[in-house]
Amino acid sequence: MESKDIIQLLRLQRHDLMNDLQIVHGYLSMGKIDKVKMKVNDILEAFHQERLLMNMNCPNFALWLLQLNWKQPNIRFNYLLHSINQDLSHIDNTLTSVGMTFVDILTMAVSNQEELVEGTIEINVISSSIELVITIQACAINKNAFKVGINNKIDNVSIHENNTNETIICTFTFPA
């Protein structure tokens, strides 16, 4: 990563924090203390998740994940890390590769490049395995092309489609 990329990442993180603080300020000026509390809790949770991400000891994956939303103009991901209290450095490159391949396939499967695709990236540590679970809202996606692309390019994946709320859940499993 070059210096200009680091500065860009810091600039975007600062921008997001300033937006959040402006929202808090607006709620305070309107006397909406309950909204202030909710927004502050959201901000604290985001920082908690970022701390967990940094403590996984997966610098390549962490950097990829932090840059993802600003490098992909029509894709937005949140991330949730569950029970991450162990060193995952042994799968850093694998997590990064799977994530990058997933986003490449997703980008090609988006039927309308103007449409925003949202999702969640989760990491669950289970006794003998680590799961990378990626959930996407599938409204603007060619689902068949997406599934074929994932199955052809990534091993150890389970794909579940929920037709009720138009989501696709992909679970990638790795040894712990």
Side-chain angles (χ1 to χ4, degrees):
M1 177 175 228
E2 295 182 30
S3 299
K4 65 179 180 159
D5 295 329
I6 294 169
I7 296 299
Q8 179 67 12
L9 182 59
L10 291 171
R11 182 179 291 127
L12 290 167
Q13 286 190 314
R14 180 188 169 282
H15 174 79
D16 289 346
L17 181 57
M18 289 301 296
N19 283 346
D20 287 338
L21 290 174
Q22 287 173 347
I23 291 169
V24 168
H25 185 265
Y27 286 148
L28 278 173
S29 68
M30 294 185 286
K32 297 186 176 187
I33 301 302
D34 56 330
K35 296 261 190 190
V36 170
K37 288 178 183 176
M38 287 175 31
K39 188 64 180 173
V40 168
N41 284 338
D42 290 347
I43 294 168
L44 291 173
E45 178 59 24
F47 278 115
H48 172 69
Q49 289 294 317
E50 191 172 289
R51 180 181 57 80
L52 291 174
L53 180 63
M54 300 303 162
N55 289 341
M56 287 177 11
N57 200 22
C58 292
N60 296 318
F61 180 71
L63 190 57
W64 170 79
L65 191 54
L66 290 172
Q67 295 180 80
L68 178 60
N69 288 339
W70 66 270
K71 285 199 169 188
Q72 298 295 328
N74 64 327
I75 297 174
R76 293 290 168 267
F77 278 102
N78 293 319
Y79 57 92
L80 297 170
L81 309 174
H82 305 283
S83 302
I84 304 295
N85 51 4
Q86 68 184 73
D87 183 353
L88 302 182
S89 59
H90 64 286
I91 61 167
D92 182 23
N93 291 332
T94 303
L95 287 171
T96 307
S97 176
V98 167
M100 291 171 74
T101 302
F102 181 93
V103 170
D104 288 346
I105 294 165
L106 178 60
T107 302
M108 289 186 288
V110 172
S111 51
N112 179 358
Q113 295 299 321
E114 303 288 316
E115 185 106 13
L116 180 65
V117 177
E118 296 181 290
T120 303
I121 297 174
E122 297 181 59
I123 294 185
N124 302 307
V125 177
I126 303 167
S127 60
S128 62
S129 64
I130 298 159
E131 290 182 338
L132 173 64
V133 181
I134 305 177
T135 305
I136 54 172
Q137 298 301 315
C139 303
I141 297 170
N142 179 333
K143 295 174 191 170
N144 289 333
F146 175 76
K147 289 179 193 176
V148 167
I150 291 293
N151 284 319
N152 286 342
K153 294 201 176 199
I154 303 176
D155 296 327
N156 301 321
V157 61
S158 164
I159 300 175
H160 174 73
E161 185 175 342
N162 184 338
N163 291 322
T164 307
N165 59 1
E166 288 287 318
T167 59
I168 296 175
I169 302 169
C170 298
T171 304
F172 306 90
T173 306
F174 312 99

